[in-house]
Amino acid sequence: MTDTTWMDATAQAELVRTGRATPAELVDAAIERIERVNPRLDAVVRERFDAARAEAAGDLPDGPFRGVPILLKDLGCHVAGEATHYGTSFLRDADVRWRVDSHLATRFRAAGFVVLGRTNVPEFGTTITTEPAAHPPARNPYDTGRSAGGSSGGSAVAVAAGLVPVAHASDGGGSIRIPAAECGLVGLKPTRARVSQGPEVGESWAGATTDGVVTRTVRDTAAVLDAISGPMPGDPYAAPPLPRPLAEEVGAPVGRLRVGLLDAEPGEQYLDHPACRAAVERTGRLLADLGCDVEPGTPGAMFDPEFPRWFTTTIAADVALTLSAFERSLGRPIEDGELEPRNRVYRAVGRRLSAEKYLGARTWLGTWSRRMAQWWAPRELGGEGFDLLVTPTIAAPPPELGWFTAAGEKEEGRRINSLMPYTSQFNVTGQPAVSLPLHRTEQGLPVGVQLVAAVGREDLLVRVAAALEGAAPWAGQRPPVSA
């Protein structure tokens, strides 16, 4: 069989479709890579190799990715009869198994993917590095002493290192885009409700969370999102329909778009690395070469100093609710000592919140979101008429492992916030945003660039991302630690 290590999921699926490889061969090759490389990276925390081999040898659904190996994040995407530990010690040490499949797991299975295991995540996904107390840290394959981002850090490491071509990821404040940026991948956060969180979740983090994947190619991102998108009956809301499958946007003309390059300082509390600024400037030149009208521009509400407070209020409420649900599943209280410090704080704050204050936070965020949306709205409707915003994905290259907590518990939150001034805004607005691996530091560390479109315009993001991939190809980039 052809070596599939650096083949994307689309190419691997084509091998199966044309009879040049079997699902079993693809799965065995990926398992071999995981067993050989994962001990150096700790991307995969739990395997299901025997089950995967049995599924690959059986009657797989005839979906677009039949036989292609995938890893699921160990947070969400529940599979009936199997465990999802959410990066926690108390679930790792218990035997809690889910009663039903999530709609997303059903979609992955219908697409023909074969799940090999679960990837490393921070506890409850509430930080942007994957260093849980329950497991060793996920290590960046470009420098194993550095963070791989979070919360989808294990998934990003696995794809960047060539263990699998695609992995499940989710994003509540940047958790698809940040690991993609730190590991040199494509990471698209879809429009709110593009991917259903049912049946157990209608919305979480006040509608800020969503699911997707991390990949090495834009065409994989587009085709997988086509496969997993769509509401399930009873969802509280649905995303605007796309004009055609996203896979058809790959290679389509970009057109003359109005693009704003971030030109406002987020504030002195945030990091500001020259490589991240250089990445945006380079992307602006590439977009101009593609025929776009590129100019400085930033939504006026982007760095409203009140935003972080109200956003974290909704997170605290959700963490408190989630822990209460797990206590019911376990049949016992979860003690403070079983939680990492930031989640102890979130639970304490969430428990003290009144309904009035929680709804007040959501009201403020709703008003703020409408202020943000005006930047993308047509001029005839009173907006500023931009098509895309370009920002750094994060404010600095991947930090060293341990950096977030090195200054003590009280400083952890400040350090988390200092690295992410650009991503969580678009979880709250519900807009689609993609991180692309368009730059490197002098030391060879990946630097991601974020493109943001109006609600429902993943088609535009895919079209532009594919054109940038063609203009500045990244397919040949390989990390030092890889398969």
Side-chain angles (χ1 to χ4, degrees), residues 97-135:
R97 296 174 184 269
W98 300 97
R99 295 177 297 172
V100 296
D101 285 343
S102 70
H103 188 65
L104 178 58
T106 300
R107 289 270 188 164
F108 277 131
R109 187 179 297 114
F113 284 111
V114 180
V115 178
L116 303 188
R118 293 279 180 171
T119 60
N120 207 350
V121 298
E123 186 181 84
F124 287 121
T126 54
T127 184
I128 57 171
T129 186
T130 302
E131 303 178 54
H135 298 287

Side-chain angles (χ1 to χ4, degrees), residues 129-150:
T129 186
T130 302
E131 303 178 54
H135 298 287
R139 297 183 176 276
N140 194 312
Y142 284 90
D143 180 342
T144 56
R146 292 184 180 270
S147 172

Side-chain angles (χ1 to χ4, degrees), residues 46-259:
R46 197 163 60 261
E47 49 85 4
R48 59 185 305 275
F49 295 160
D50 290 343
R53 286 188 168 111
E55 291 163 8
D59 188 18
L60 288 169
D62 190 22
F65 293 99
R66 182 172 178 268
V68 176
I70 193 172
L71 290 162
L72 302 183
K73 184 176 177 177
D74 200 21
L75 193 160
C77 199
H78 302 153
V79 174
E82 297 186 6
T84 307
H85 293 160
Y86 284 66
T88 69
S89 300
F90 59 82
L91 288 176
R92 181 200 63 192
D93 299 335
D95 189 26
V96 176
R97 296 174 184 269
W98 300 97
R99 295 177 297 172
V100 296
D101 285 343
S102 70
H103 188 65
L104 178 58
T106 300
R107 289 270 188 164
F108 277 131
R109 187 179 297 114
F113 284 111
V114 180
V115 178
L116 303 188
R118 293 279 180 171
T119 60
N120 207 350
V121 298
E123 186 181 84
F124 287 121
T126 54
T127 184
I128 57 171
T129 186
T130 302
E131 303 178 54
H135 298 287
R139 297 183 176 276
N140 194 312
Y142 284 90
D143 180 342
T144 56
R146 292 184 180 270
S147 172
S151 62
S152 308
S155 288
V157 172
V159 175
L163 307 188
V164 290
V166 60
H168 164 238
S170 57
D171 195 314
S175 290
I176 292 174
R177 292 158 288 161
I178 292 170
E182 295 193 14
C183 294
L185 300 176
V186 179
L188 193 157
K189 180 198 81 69
T191 291
R192 177 181 293 131
R194 180 73 68 202
V195 179
S196 174
Q197 296 180 296
E200 295 170 297
V201 176
E203 64 172 17
S204 66
W205 288 21
T209 65
T210 189
D211 290 89
V213 290
V214 285
T215 72
R216 294 192 292 268
T217 64
V218 174
R219 70 175 186 173
D220 269 6
T221 291
V224 176
L225 191 52
D226 283 336
I228 63 176
S229 292
M232 72 172 296
D235 278 353
Y237 37 71
L242 293 164
R244 59 181 176 174
L246 289 172
E248 295 181 17
E249 304 295 346
V250 177
V254 168
R256 188 168 180 175
L257 303 175
R258 188 176 180 214
V259 177

